[in-house]
Amino acid sequence: INHGIEEGLLQQLRQLSKQFFHLPLPEKQRYARQAGDLQGYGNDMVLFDDQTLDWTDRLYLFVNPQDQKKLHLWPQNPPSFRHTIEEYTHHALTLLNRLLKSMARTLNLPDGTFLKQFGDAPSCHLRFNYYPPCPRPDMVNGVKPHADGSGMTFVLLDDEVEGLQVLKDGAWFRIPAIRGALLVNLGDQLEIMSNGHLKSPVHRVVTNSNSERLTIAMFCSPGTGQEIGPDDRLIDEENPKLYKNTNDYVGIYFQYYQKGLRPIDAVRV
């Protein structure tokens, strides 16, 4: 809470996304994701024959930097959807800047430590998730267990229907729905930069048989091609380097994630 983004904007974004998912299928398919591409309307990208699929429809858009946008996949219906996405992205980038400075400070590092690794043009992806009622919620997840491959994720949860759960000490804990709040989730890339001082939690989304549910996630990561790695000031004899440097963590991530494995294990020293 106290994130500086007006609740009216969050409610508008939620309402417009709900209107989009309630459109007839042929209208939504005008923005369909093409094979091998993340952006657009659809569901899981299928990479393997035995892959476990999620019970969700998605609209996945790259919103920053400008040259990553595919505006032909940004819905024009509802009419104000595009403008609202742009406004929300502006506020999310401001919040990202504030939090990265604060998190560096908690580790006694200069404010700009993590900002420098994110680069001048952070890569931000906005994913709208629609979970329809599921007839067998005991057999399928809305999203399979995973940790985010981003640096930091902002999630606007459904303010009425819960579904997000976090794994801690071998048990799943529910995340409450708090009106007007954003869930801030740390991703693998910030765990790498902090040499494990900051943790990327494993989480999942459960389904239910009675209610639809809608969430909106903003994934913020270092710019394309930006090399990341543990900050040297967090490495010493008592705290050895835990992760290798990498400049393509997202490429590693999806290959591991769709197999149900933890992608961060691929860059452990």
Side-chain angles (χ1 to χ4, degrees):
I1 60 173
N2 299 321
H3 41 64
I5 305 177
E6 292 185 3
E7 185 175 340
L9 175 61
L10 300 180
Q11 292 295 345
Q12 182 181 18
L13 186 65
R14 181 184 284 118
Q15 187 60 36
L16 290 171
S17 57
K18 183 177 293 187
Q19 290 175 25
F20 171 78
F21 284 113
H22 285 177
L23 290 172
L25 183 59
E27 173 70 14
K28 291 183 287 190
Q29 287 181 329
R30 291 176 55 195
Y31 311 101
R33 177 181 62 78
Q34 299 301 308
D37 193 4
L38 281 175
Q39 296 195 63
Y41 168 75
N43 42 38
D44 270 350
M45 188 191 312
V46 178
L47 301 179
F48 307 100
D49 291 340
D50 57 351
Q51 180 178 318
T52 301
L53 300 180
D54 297 329
W55 186 269
T56 177
D57 284 348
R58 296 171 179 159
L59 175 64
Y60 203 113
L61 304 174
F62 289 12
V63 295
N64 195 73
Q66 188 71 29
D67 61 5
Q68 288 190 8
K69 297 178 181 179
K70 294 184 177 180
L71 291 176
H72 65 283
L73 296 175
W74 289 41
Q76 299 184 58
N77 185 12
S80 59
F81 202 7
R82 289 188 174 191
H83 173 75
T84 305
I85 290 172
E86 293 278 17
E87 187 176 358
Y88 178 67
T89 299
H90 169 75
H91 288 291
L93 284 169
T94 300
L95 183 59
L96 174 69
N97 187 290
R98 287 170 50 200
L99 289 177
L100 287 177
K101 289 179 179 178
S102 297
M103 289 186 167
R105 212 173 299 143
T106 67
L107 297 176
N108 298 314
L109 297 172
D111 283 7
T113 299
F114 298 136
L115 282 169
K116 184 177 181 180
Q117 293 209 52
F118 268 69
D120 295 331
S123 180
C124 295
H125 308 159
L126 194 56
R127 194 177 77 193
F128 300 86
N129 307 298
Y130 175 73
Y131 306 98
C134 177
R136 291 298 305 273
D138 57 316
M139 295 187 66
V140 64
N141 283 313
V143 178
K144 64 180 82 60
H146 69 287
D148 287 349
S150 61
M152 186 180 295
T153 307
F154 303 125
V155 187
L156 179 60
L157 296 170
D158 194 298
D159 59 357
E160 296 181 356
V161 183
E162 295 179 355
L164 181 62
Q165 298 181 343
V166 172
L167 184 66
K168 180 173 173 59
D169 299 328
W172 290 102
F173 293 85
R174 68 177 183 86
I175 301 298
I178 302 174
R179 185 178 178 88
L182 288 173
L183 175 76
V184 180
N185 192 40
L186 301 189
D188 287 350
Q189 296 193 60
L190 205 51
E191 179 168 337
I192 293 168
M193 294 178 203
S194 70
N195 200 39
H197 286 279
L198 302 173
K199 303 296 185 184
S200 174
V202 173
H203 51 285
R204 69 181 182 183
V205 175
V206 297
T207 55
N208 68 73
S209 57
N210 300 316
S211 303
E212 66 179 10
R213 182 171 178 269
L214 190 142
T215 65
I216 303 163
M218 173 79 83
F219 301 95
C220 299
S221 301
T224 303
Q226 188 86 12
E227 183 175 84
I228 67 166
D231 188 273
D232 290 341
R233 288 160 290 197
L234 299 174
I235 300 170
D236 54 33
E237 290 185 1
E238 294 182 358
N239 299 282
K241 185 175 181 178
L242 298 180
Y243 303 104
K244 306 170 189 173
N245 288 28
T246 177
N247 61 4
D248 185 28
Y249 187 74
V250 173
I252 296 170
Y253 180 82
F254 282 102
Q255 292 295 321
Y256 276 70
Y257 165 70
Q258 297 295 13
K259 293 180 180 178
L261 303 173
R262 283 221 60 182
I264 201 169
D265 290 340
V267 295
R268 292 188 190 274
V269 173

